[in-house]
Amino acid sequence: MNLKLVAKRLIFLVVVIWAASTIVFFIPRLSGRNALRERFGELARTGGFSPADLEKIIASMQQQFGLDRPLYEQYWTYLGNILRLDFGYSLYRYPTTVTELIAQSLPWTIGLLLVTTILAFVIGNLLGAVAAWPRAPGWMRGIATPFILLTGVPPVIMGILLLFFVGFRWKLLPLGGAYSVGTVPTFSIGFILDLLKHQILPGLALVLGSVGGWVLSMRGMGVTIQGEDYVNFAEHKGLTGGRIFRDYYLRNAMLPQITGLALALGSVVTSAIIVEGLFGLPGIGTMLNLAIRSNDFPTIYGIVLFITIAVAVLMTAVEFLYPLLDPRVRNS
Amino acid sequence: MSTVALSPPAAETKVERPGKLVLFLRYLRRNKGLAIGVLILLCLVAFTVIGLLTINPKHAYPLSVAAKKPPSLKYPFGTDFFGRDLYAAMVVGMWQTAAIGLLAGGIGTLIGVVLGFMSAYFGSWTDATIRTICQVLTPIPVLLIQVVIAGSLDKRDVTILTMAFIVVLLAWMGPTLVIRSQVLTMKERQFVSVAKLSGVSDMGIIFKEILPNLLPFIAAAFVAQVFAAVFAAFYLAVLGLGPLREPLLGNIIWAAQSQGAFFNGWWWWPIIPSIAMILILGSLALINMGLDELANPRVRRTE
C-alpha cells in the first residue's frame, strides 16, 4: 500500500471523528436543555438547599465546565479535549471523569465483544461457505438454515429468550450480573468459573444474534465464486474437494467478508452494549444504561463518542490489514 | 418455442397473459422466503386490524386493568405491573411500530431516491458532495447518534412522531448509495442512449425510462429502511429513550426489565413483546432477502 493511500485513509479517519464529535457537540445545544440545572435542581429538591445557593452553585459549575464562554470557544476547547480522549466529568458521579468510567468498564466490554465477534464470524462463515458448496453433503448444507432464520432476531431479544428458558425456567445459569452476589472478586479458580458462568448467556445471545448475518452473506459470496475460472481450473487439475474448498473457494470468499466485518463493527458494538445492559454486566453498556436513567448527559455523550472513535479507528485498521491478506489488492 | 409451434392456432388466441397478481403469486411459489415473510406480515396486519376493532385502546395504558395477572381467558397475554392489558398493548404497540416503520421507511427511501438520482445524474460536485457526506456518516454507529438525539430531548417531548423523525435523520445514506449505483449502471444502458438521441427530456428519461426499471431496487431499499427504522426505534425504546407512556414494544420490554420481571416471576411481561418483535423483524428480514433476490438475479439460488 502506498503512502498516499495511507495518508488519505488517515485524513478520512480524522474527518469521521470530527463529524461525529461535531454532531454530538451541537445536538444537545439545539435541544436547549440545561443538564447542570436539571441535575442540581434535582439535588436541591432532595437535599434542601436554598434557591440562591443553587444559583451560585450552578454559576460556579458553569464556569468550571466553561459553559459561560462563547460557543465557538467552547467548541474549540471541546475538539481539543476529544483529541486527548477527555470527555469531561460525569454529572452523576462527579468528580469522576467520563474517561475514568469508560476505562473501568472497558475490559468487560472488550472481552465479551472479542470472543463473541470471533466466534460468530468463524462459525457463520464456515456454515455459509458449506451452505453454498454444491459438493457438501445435504445434512451439512441444512445446518445453515436455522441460523439464517435467526437473522430476524436481534441479540437483545435472543438474550431475553435465553434468560427466560435457560435462566428462569430451567435455572441452569444465573439471571444476570457479573458474578454471584456476595462473592468477592479474587484470582481463585472458583471465582473465575463463577465469572465465566455469568458470561455464557450474554455471549450466547450475541453469537446467536449475529451468526445468521454471516451465514447469509458468506452463502451469497460462495455462490458468486463457484463460477470463477480459478475454481474450475482447480477442479480440472484434479485437486481434492477439501483442498479446493479450503484454498480456492473459502480463501477467496473470505476476503470481502473481512471488509464486511469492518462495516458490521458499529452494529456489533451497539448490540453488545445493549445486551450488556440487559444482563447487568459491569461494561460500557450498563454504564450507558445508568447514564440514560440518571440524565447524566456528559457520560452519554462521552460513551457514544468513545465508541464512535473506536469503531472508526478499527475500521481503518482493518483496511490497512486488508492488503496483507489479499494479494490482488497489494499488487494493484 | 417448439411448444408454440405444436399447439393449434385456435388455442393460441385463447392464451391470455396472466394478471400481475397471478404472476406475483407464481413467483412467490419459487421464492419461499418472500412468501413466508409476506404471510407472517399479513397475519400481523390482520391481528392489528382485528385487534383495533375489538379492544378498548385505553386498556393499553397503565392503571386500566388488574395488575400482574398471568395469561388467562380474560387477558390472553396477561397484564403487567402497571395494570396494562398486554393484549391491548400488543395491538396498539404493533400499530405504533408500523406507523414508525412506514413513516421513517417511506421518508428515508424518498430522500434516498432523490439524492441517489441527483448524485448519479448530475455527477461532478453534486455527486462528490453527496458521496462524501454518505461516506463520512457511514462509519458512525447510527444507533448511538440516535441515542444522543433521543437522550437530549425532554422525555415528555418524545412521541411516536419524534421517534420516526429521529430514525429518519440518519437513515437515508443506505438507500442513497444503492439507488446511486443502480442509476449509474442504468445511465449507460442502450435504451437510455436511444431515448436521449430521440430527444426525450431529462425528466422524461428519469420517470419513463429509468425509474420503472429501478422499482425492484426501490422496493428492496424501502423494506430495508422499514426494517432499520423498526429496529432503531426498538433499540431506543429498550434503552428507555422511547415515549415512556406509550405501549411501544421496546418500551414494554424496558419497563419489564426495570421491574425485574423474571426475578418476580412475571415471565409473560417481557416474553410477549419479544415474540411480537421477532415476528415483525423476522417477516421484514425474509421479505428483504426475497426482494434482494428479485432485484439481483445473481443472488438467486442455483437450483
Side-chain angles (χ1 to χ4, degrees), chain A residues 66-104:
Chain A
L67 294 173
D68 53 344
R69 283 177 297 149
L71 198 61
Y72 71 88
E73 228 175 89
Q74 286 183 41
Y75 180 56
W76 196 241
T77 333
Y78 164 87
L79 286 183
N81 289 342
I82 297 295
L83 282 182
R84 281 179 273 119
L85 288 181
D86 171 6
F87 303 113
Y89 291 95
S90 157
L91 273 187
Y92 199 66
R93 297 218 219 154
Y94 186 81
T96 315
T97 63
V98 175
T99 313
E100 276 164 16
L101 286 180
I102 293 175
Q104 279 168 24

Side-chain angles (χ1 to χ4, degrees), chain A residues 224-243:
Chain A
T224 56
I225 278 193
Q226 270 159 39
E228 298 282 350
D229 289 339
Y230 52 82
V231 175
N232 290 336
F233 176 64
E235 268 169 27
H236 290 303
K237 267 205 307 198
L239 295 179
T240 58
R243 178 95 201 275

Side-chain angles (χ1 to χ4, degrees), chain B residues 167-179:
Chain B
V167 171
V168 144
L169 264 183
L170 289 162
W172 44 269
M173 288 93 74
T176 301
L177 291 178
V178 170
I179 300 298

Side-chain angles (χ1 to χ4, degrees), chain A residues 205-248:
Chain A
L206 282 171
V207 172
L208 288 179
S210 53
V211 85
W214 294 119
V215 175
L216 257 185
S217 54
M218 186 62 175
R219 198 187 64 175
M221 273 320 300
V223 170
T224 56
I225 278 193
Q226 270 159 39
E228 298 282 350
D229 289 339
Y230 52 82
V231 175
N232 290 336
F233 176 64
E235 268 169 27
H236 290 303
K237 267 205 307 198
L239 295 179
T240 58
R243 178 95 201 275
I244 299 173
F245 182 75
R246 202 180 62 233
D247 292 347
Y248 288 76

Side-chain angles (χ1 to χ4, degrees), chain A residues 27 49 70 86 114 156 158 187 191 206 255 262 266 269 272 277 290 293-294 306 308 325:
Chain A
I27 285 172
F49 40 88
D86 171 6
L114 208 64
V156 185
M158 192 63 77
F187 264 111
F191 178 75
L206 282 171
L255 290 163
V269 173
L290 287 175
R293 268 168 214 265
S294 52
F306 175 79
T308 307
L325 300 164

Side-chain angles (χ1 to χ4, degrees), chain B residues 242-260:
Chain B
L244 292 184
R245 231 184 87 84
E246 298 293 336
L248 204 59
L249 301 179
N251 279 344
I252 297 180
I253 291 176
W254 175 77
Q257 195 58 30
S258 333
Q259 299 297 329

Side-chain angles (χ1 to χ4, degrees), chain A residues 114-132:
Chain A
L114 208 64
V115 174
T116 54
T117 309
I118 292 174
L119 273 180
F121 186 76
V122 172
I123 298 174
N125 280 311
L126 274 179
L127 281 175
V130 171

Side-chain angles (χ1 to χ4, degrees), chain B residues 47-229:
Chain B
F47 172 83
T48 313
V49 172
I50 294 170
L52 284 174
L53 294 174
T54 51
I55 57 150
N56 178 352
K58 280 203 187 98
H59 288 175
Y61 293 88
L63 302 177
S64 56
V65 293
K68 297 178 275 189
K69 292 272 175 281
S72 62
L73 278 178
K74 192 169 178 214
Y75 304 115
F77 294 160
T79 68
D80 74 1
F81 179 83
F82 302 109
R84 284 188 279 217
D85 177 2
L86 282 176
Y87 173 62
M90 282 306 106
V91 171
V92 177
M94 291 242 197
W95 167 240
Q96 291 175 337
T97 304
I100 291 179
L102 291 177
L103 205 64
I107 300 174
T109 312
L110 192 69
I111 297 175
V113 169
V114 171
L115 287 183
F117 260 99
M118 276 169 61
S119 191
Y121 215 81
F122 296 127
S124 76
W125 64 268
T126 318
D127 186 33
T129 315
I130 293 173
R131 227 181 42 226
T132 310
I133 294 175
C134 286
Q135 276 171 349
V136 169
L137 289 179
T138 307
I140 300 173
V142 168
L143 272 162
L144 290 174
I145 300 296
Q146 287 164 344
V147 164
V148 170
I149 303 174
S152 302
L153 293 172
D154 196 319
K155 292 249 159 61
R156 281 158 298 189
D157 292 343
V158 179
T159 61
I160 301 295
L161 264 179
T162 37
M163 292 287 274
F165 180 67
I166 292 169
V167 171
V168 144
L169 264 183
L170 289 162
W172 44 269
M173 288 93 74
T176 301
L177 291 178
V178 170
I179 300 298
R180 174 183 172 274
S181 66
Q182 287 307 321
V183 174
L184 276 183
T185 63
M186 259 183 216
K187 234 174 79 176
E188 305 304 322
R189 302 268 178 88
Q190 271 184 341
F191 65 90
V192 174
S193 320
V194 170
K196 230 179 219 166
L197 285 176
S198 53
V200 181
S201 68
D202 276 357
M203 285 296 138
I205 289 176
I206 289 176
F207 284 105
K208 293 217 181 76
E209 307 291 335
I210 297 181
L211 208 55
N213 285 301
L214 273 183
L215 281 179
F217 291 97
I218 295 174
F222 173 70
V223 177
Q225 279 297 289
V226 173
F227 183 86

